[in-house]
Amino acid sequence: MYSDKVMNEFKKPKNMGKIENADGIGTVGNPVCGDMLKVYIKVKDNKITDVKVETFGCVSAIATSSKATEMVKGKTIEEALELSKDEVAKELGGLPPIKMHCSVLAIDGIRKSIEDYKKKNKKQ
Amino acid sequence: MEVYLDNAATTPMRKEVFEEMEKYFFQDYGNASSLHLFGQKAFEEKENAREKIAKLLGVKSKEIYFTSGGTESDNLALKGIIQKSNKKKVIVSAIEHPAVLRTAEFLAKQGKKLSVIPVNSEGIIDLNKLKKEIDSDTALVSVMHANNEIGVIQPVKEIAELCMEKNVLFHSDTVQTIGKIKINLKETGIDLASISAHKFNGPKGIGAIYIKEGTPIEPLIHGGGQENKLRSGTENIPGIIGLSKALELSLKNIEEEQKRQEELRNELIKFVLEIPKTRINGTYEKGKRLSNNVNASFYGIEGEALIAFLNEEGVFASTGSACSSKSLKASHVLLALGLSHIWAHGSLRLTFGRQTTKKEINYVKEKLPGIVEKLRKMSSIK
Ligand SMILES: Cc1ncc(COP(=O)(O)O)c(C=O)c1O
Ligand code: FES
């Protein structure tokens, strides 16, 4: 069902865990399958210096969490916001059609964490 | 190490079964409808097999019809009964196999009435609700004997009595019990029962249905009129021979084998429950669950991920989690027990077979806790 790239990413996922005193946190849930994902970011000079993720989800959700966070690490906020689910899927050698929504979850999590960061920063 | 613990999905065929079947491919390959010697031989062997199966199940030969498997038998039971009846309602339990549930829903779409009876948190059907639902327009009640996901055994005798009282037919999907439990179909009072050979070390693609003599039923498949006009198509003689041999072998030392598996099961259940935030789905009270089934849920982890890591370690299991199959909904069985989506998604089904050893179970015990811990560390749900 899954490509080797997906399986390898799943077996050794990167950026798993949480960041204490994160600058932004994004929690997203997937009502379809009851899955949940939480993204933590550290931002410095408009750049994402560190990112971590906690994932309750399937193989594809874990693999895309890992890949998507890897892809935004070191990027500027604007660059990170441009990352699409298709780019993540492509980087993983494709996802089964029924599993495309899992990659949306990761993207949404990252976007939400950035929103959260922006909101917090406005106040200060 | 490779440990196959998905015997509710299918089982390996026994060598003896294959050996028994072999000559019907190469030597005695006749069509049972042909009038010559080859045909007669095939016909006789087929009828011998039918007689053997009937005897093993405590029923008459002419009450056994061969089909392509459990799915077809379930379809035949529901569609065949309702089409012949002037009553319109079918009653099924909430935890039926898709072969029954989807068929029942199809009938509802065709204008029939459908009523789905809930189960309690242990997985046992609500008999009072069932009693209330049976009315003068009810043609058929279909309640499975043992559930394929959680292995919980339904009180079929009581259901049969209830149906008899109310004068409605009772079909039971016995796919998970025949060949695993000693059953006398006559004594249970079931009117129709589905059988599938690959669940008890027989070949795939062959099954049967028991239909009590005199039960009015319409065929599903029309054609040359084989199987007493109920199921057309050239009979699968090697399959039929395989089915009867597999049934004979599996019933031979069934009590001993059941006891052996039950010990392994209880041991594994005890072990699993020692892992924090874990539950066993469905009752495991003695006699109320198949001896080969463990279905556990681990809070905060998702079944497919668990299966994938077990697979890496050579343990082959399954899950009721949606994210693992082609649909995205969580197991209808686990939801029917009242589990939340999180618990339902974290389910693991381990089902034993004759080939399962204590050593294999020990291997699972060695690997499972570490995988659960790893996935929980990653999870956003603590
Ligand atoms: C309870 C139950 N009913 C029906 C079936 C379908 O049987 P078959 O695979 O022979 O079509 C299965 C097995 O998948 C089952 O477990
Ligand atoms: S997160 Fe639900 S299927 Fe992947």
Side-chain angles (χ1 to χ4, degrees), chain B residues 8-9 69-72 74 97 99 144 146 148 173 175-176 196 198-199:
Chain B
T71 302
E72 187 189 326
D74 287 345
H97 187 274
M144 68 200 320
N148 47 297
D173 179 337
V175 165
Q176 289 290 342
S196 175
H198 73 95
K199 305 289 186 183

Side-chain angles (χ1 to χ4, degrees), chain A residues 2 30 32-35 56-61 98-99 101-102 105, chain B residues 302 304 322-324 328 345:
Chain A
Y2 292 115
N30 193 328
V32 195
C33 38
D35 298 333
F56 164 68
C58 68
V59 168
S60 157
I98 198 170
K99 294 288 185 176
H101 76 273
C102 321
L105 203 60
Chain B
E302 197 280 320
E304 188 195 42
C323 297
S324 67
L328 289 171
H345 272 288

Side-chain angles (χ1 to χ4, degrees), chain B residues 121-124 150-153 262 265-274 278-296 337:
Chain B
S121 60
E122 303 277 73
I124 310 266
I150 55 177
V152 170
I153 298 169
E262 202 165 297
R265 181 199 70 188
N266 292 346
E267 193 185 305
L268 189 57
I269 285 179
K270 204 172 138 213
F271 177 84
V272 164
L273 285 175
E274 277 166 18
T278 299
R279 53 168 287 150
I280 295 293
N281 300 314
T283 182
Y284 48 98
E285 206 180 298
K286 203 169 167 52
K288 290 196 178 165
R289 189 188 192 102
L290 289 176
S291 42
N292 79 331
N293 176 294
V294 175
N295 187 310
L337 299 188

